[in-house]
Structure formats: C-alpha cells, structure tokens
Amino acid sequence: MISYLEFEKPVAELEQRIAELRSASEGDDVDISNELQRLELKSAELLASTYASLTPWQKTQVARHPSRPHFRDYVEHAFEEFVPLGGDRLYGDDDAILGGLAKLGGRKVVLIGHEKGNDTASRIKHNFGMGKPEGYRKAIRLMELAGRFGLPVVTLVDTSGAFPGVEAEERGQAEAIARSTEACLALPVPMVAAIVGEGGSGGAVALASAERVLMFEHAVYSVISPEGCASILWRTAEKAPDAAEAMKVTAQNLADLGVIDRIVPEPVGGAHRDPRAAAQTLATAIGEELDMLSREDSASLIRMREERFLKIAG
C-alpha cells in the first residue's frame, strides 16, 4: 500500500480507478485492457509531471515520507556483509545512529548513518533518527577506527536534527556534535556523505563534513526545519512552505550554492516507491566517488574538506 501525500491526490484517484477496473474485470468477459493501458500511461505521466515540479515544501514532505528507505534499507539493498559495531565506550549505545563495517561493491568501508525506523515501535526505539551524544561519540570512534585501518568512510544522513532533550544536554550534546564534525574534517581516509532524507542542522553536519557530499534529488538539507524557521520569523508554523522556499533547502538549490557536490536521481515518484532501485543508484554514485577519491593521499583529502567548507563559509 502506497501512502499518498496531499499533493499526490490526483495520482491517488487515478491509481484507485485503475485498481477498481482491474478488480472488476476479473472473471469478466469484457476486454478492458486498452482502457487500463490508457489509464496506466496517464497515471505514469501525471506522476512524472508532478514530481518534476515539486516546491521546496513538497520536497520536504517527500523527504519525510513514512515509507522512505532508511539506514537499514540501504544496508539491505546497497551494501554487503554489514557487521554492526555499537557503543561509544564512554556512556552507552545509541539506536538513532548506527554504524559498522561493510562492503560496497567489494570495497571494505566503515558505514555510519541515522536510522528513523519504519513503524511506531521502531521509530520510538531509534528516537526518530535524532542522535544523542553517545551516538555522535560512537561515530567518532568508528571514524577513528577507519583511519587506523585505512578504510573509507560512508555516511547516510537522515535526521531532523540532534536530540534536544535535557538528558542529551547533560551528556554534552554540543561538544559531541562539534567533535564529530572535527573527526570528519581530520579523517586521513576518503569520506563520502549522502543526504538521503532530511539533513537537519548540526545533527546532520556532524556526519556530513566530507570532501564529497551527495544528495538525493528529493532530499532536503537545512540549518533548521521549515516549521522551526517559520515559528521564529512569523510566529506560526503555517508559514513553513514560505520558509522552505526562502531557505533554499532542496538539492537543486544547494548544488547551485556549492553546498553539495552531486544530485543522485530517485525513482519516479520518490525513493519510497522503489527503495531497492534508489539504494542501488546511490551505491553506484558512492562507488564512483570513492574510486575518484582513492587516488588522493591523506593530506589532499584533508585539504579538500577544508577548502570546500571555507568556500561555503566565505
């Protein structure tokens, strides 16, 4: 079952009509194959045209789609031999940020990313992808492990932001995010980050300070959520669509601004319509970036990161 977003209502109505016709034709002698073919073509064209002209707010909704693939889906469809590694060796483990050893197209990598969960129980378990200090310190530990053994680092970013609760602040959330960002910038091995859903604030930057940053075409990346920005500027979250437009949150905007390096195409209708195809497309893109970066020495990689972020800041 596909969960349709508000702007997809015309597509939903058409696909429902197709399903009803198909169901009604079962066991019937009347041939409606031509009509079904016409409606299916019309539905595909409508879906393609709808997704070709999404507003920033609509892209935000797609990035948050409940069926959008998350870390575990990419592990299943794009990576092999994933061995999870848990704990920060200081306080505990964090289920919002997962990581471990994996293979991508035969290449050994250290894989780290946010996991949001796909139902009520798993979303609560993974804290909706909002990392706590121990999650970022786990990421630091895994990055240091990658540097020690010469393994490239791949991060999959999908979070509305780091967890803002009191207990996270008590355990040093800001310090953990800062040190995770520092660990990314100091890595002596190649690092590729991919914004696969939401890239929210420092919680995203802490895993995305790489020399190459990829982004799915319907993902979003911003310093604050559109609702948060609207609440600050207009004192109402109802202005979120205007905030999304003003903040330039889309992959297309950010590529123009030089914040990201490459836009990864999604299946028509978004990654949630074909998670396997989306994951395989992403795997190919990451592999190509790692092939390019493997030719650089440690000093060059560090310099590339410094230059890209100083350029953004400047």
Side-chain angles (χ1 to χ4, degrees):
M1 290 290 292
I2 297 175
S3 176
Y4 293 95
L5 299 169
E6 183 68 24
F7 65 84
E8 294 179 304
K9 277 187 176 180
V11 177
E13 292 169 0
L14 200 51
E15 292 189 350
Q16 183 179 358
R17 175 62 178 155
I18 292 170
E20 289 172 353
L21 276 176
R22 190 174 283 119
S23 178
S25 67
E26 291 179 0
D28 199 329
D29 294 333
V30 179
D31 184 9
I32 61 169
S33 58
N34 289 338
E35 177 65 8
L36 276 174
Q37 186 176 11
R38 184 185 70 81
L39 289 176
E40 287 170 347
L41 179 60
K42 184 178 179 181
S43 176
E45 290 174 346
L46 180 58
L47 183 67
S49 64
T50 298
Y51 271 78
S53 57
L54 294 181
T55 67
W57 177 240
Q58 288 170 337
K59 283 183 178 286
T60 302
Q61 293 175 290
V62 176
R64 296 171 175 172
H65 195 286
S67 299
R68 193 170 179 88
H70 301 304
F71 183 85
R72 291 190 181 278
D73 299 299
Y74 294 110
V75 167
E76 179 182 355
H77 298 309
F79 295 85
E80 308 94 42
E81 299 180 28
F82 178 65
V83 179
L85 299 174
D88 66 348
R89 304 298 188 266
L90 294 169
Y91 177 84
D93 198 17
D94 178 29
D95 287 318
I97 297 177
L98 305 179
L101 305 173
K103 284 187 177 180
L104 176 65
R107 175 190 279 112
K108 295 177 182 178
V109 301
V110 168
L111 178 64
I112 308 169
H114 298 94
E115 173 59 54
K116 285 186 172 180
N118 54 17
D119 56 29
T120 301
S122 63
R123 286 175 187 135
I124 292 173
K125 175 185 176 183
H126 295 291
N127 201 33
F128 299 87
M130 296 186 293
K132 296 178 181 178
E134 49 271 25
Y136 292 103
R137 290 178 178 129
K138 173 168 63 178
I140 294 168
R141 183 173 72 84
L142 295 181
M143 284 187 268
E144 290 174 346
L145 184 72
R148 193 175 306 130
F149 290 100
L151 300 174
V153 174
V154 175
T155 60
L156 306 179
V157 178
D158 188 10
T159 181
S160 57
F163 182 60
V166 173
E167 63 268 35
E169 296 300 328
E170 289 175 341
R171 296 199 292 273
Q173 183 72 290
E175 184 266 353
I177 290 173
R179 291 201 178 277
S180 183
T181 305
E182 180 185 41
C184 291
L185 296 173
L187 268 175
V189 294
M191 180 179 183
V192 175
I195 315 298
V196 296
E198 285 186 276
S201 192
V205 173
L207 297 186
S209 297
E211 61 270 29
R212 296 293 291 177
V213 180
L214 282 53
M215 190 169 172
F216 265 136
E217 64 173 311
H218 300 312
V220 293
Y221 191 21
S222 61
V223 70
I224 190 174
S225 70
E227 296 93 331
C229 177
S231 296
I232 293 170
L233 295 183
W234 292 287
R235 298 290 190 267
T236 173
E238 292 180 2
K239 287 282 191 177
D242 296 319
E245 183 77 39
M247 291 195 300
K248 309 295 184 186
V249 300
T250 70
Q252 295 73 20
N253 293 147
L254 296 168
D256 290 341
L257 293 169
V259 175
I260 66 165
D261 303 295
R262 178 172 176 173
I263 299 174
V264 180
E266 297 185 30
V268 176
H272 58 279
R273 286 181 176 264
D274 194 342
R276 181 183 293 274
Q280 291 174 350
T281 301
L282 180 65
T284 299
I286 293 173
E288 290 171 355
E289 298 295 340
L290 289 176
D291 285 341
M292 180 189 70
L293 293 173
S294 66
R295 297 191 286 268
E296 304 290 340
D297 59 25
S298 296
S300 297
L301 294 170
I302 293 171
R303 186 170 59 253
M304 286 171 67
R305 287 181 214 123
E306 290 176 349
E307 289 175 352
R308 82 181 309 278
F309 285 101
L310 286 172
K311 183 178 179 181
I312 293 171

